[in-house]
Amino acid sequence: MLRCDLLYLRVRMENLDPRVISTAIALAILVLGGWGIAFAIRRMNERAERGTSDRIDKLLAKQGPLPAARLADELAQHERAARLYIKAERKPEAARAYRRAELWDRAAQLFEEIADYEGAAYCFRRLKNRSAQLRMLEAAQNWTAAATLAAELGQPIAAADLMLRAGKLDEAIKLLVEAGQGERARLLRAGQLEKLGRWEDAGAQYAHVRAWDRALACFKQANNDARSADVLVELNRLEEAALLYARSGNHQDAAQIHEQMQLFRKAAAQYQRLGNTDRAIQCLTLEGDKLAVVKLRIALGQVDEAIRMADSVQATDPAFIEASLIAADIHEERGATERAAETLRRTLDAPVPAARRVEVGRRAAKLFT
């Protein structure tokens, strides 16, 4: 059987293309040669490492761990160097040696222990431990880098706080807006505008978030009576608001506020400034100041209305005598002497103080002279 197999193999070999055989032999030589070279290099490296290790061991025995660690570092034996540095109680050098050895976790631990937080952050970044990296950047007070990383990690509010620490207000405001923290963003912007002395802009930002006290302070700094009055209304300080509205020329709002507060005389004054005499008269009537209504109607040429109002003043009203005298004067000017005398007589029939009674009597006597 064996002879048959060998005979079959011989026949097959004789039938093969010589070029195929040559190629196969060449490949075999290359493979064997490459393996041999690699084996030889490995053996050389092993001998070199043993030689290096021997040198380090000898120096360690003679001079101690620190010189041996430095030699190990020079000879690119970084991991061993790190261990020797630790033995020599030189943690900073050990941390750097571990970093050179790309043993990131050990390096990070040591960097953190020696409070080299930037170094630890770098190692944690290589480890793709971004939360630990962020923690180290914060510990290093590298606020800008920490803020950037926090934003990348989807923590915009934390990133904004870190940007504030970095003194980068615009970036912080942008992050807050993106996070839906518009109110806080406006407050920050308002504070920035205050520092720049842009009082109206700052006040507008404060007003938008209903920080009324701060808004009022800013508008007052800007000498903006109208905006200050708007804020005072929000603070329910209505009388102050009306005063500022009037001072800013907004007599309509000033009048309405006074009317709302039932300060009808003041409301009437504002309506008069607007030329709204009908509303002014209504307010004076509500105030019960019939004498003021009489005088205002006379000023407007509404004499008949003035007389009717004067005649409606009761004897118990402090304005009774003056209203009666005004009515008598109008009647006299119109030539209605009898009506003037009747008005004065009615006045004398009332409980008039003695001093005023003499005055009314003289006026009545004059009518008949």
Side-chain angles (χ1 to χ4, degrees), residues 346-361:
R346 184 169 57 87
T347 305
L348 289 170
D349 288 342
V352 179
R356 301 305 302 271
R357 182 176 291 277
V358 171
E359 179 185 355
V360 175

Side-chain angles (χ1 to χ4, degrees), residues 11 52 63 65 71 95-96 100 126 132 175 179 184 203 209 231 241-242 282 287 315 320 327 369:
V11 171
T52 298
Q63 298 185 29
L71 177 60
R96 290 191 287 272
R100 285 189 286 273
R126 297 302 298 266
L175 285 164
R184 189 177 171 204
V209 295
V231 175
Q282 289 175 19
E287 180 73 20
F320 171 69
T369 57

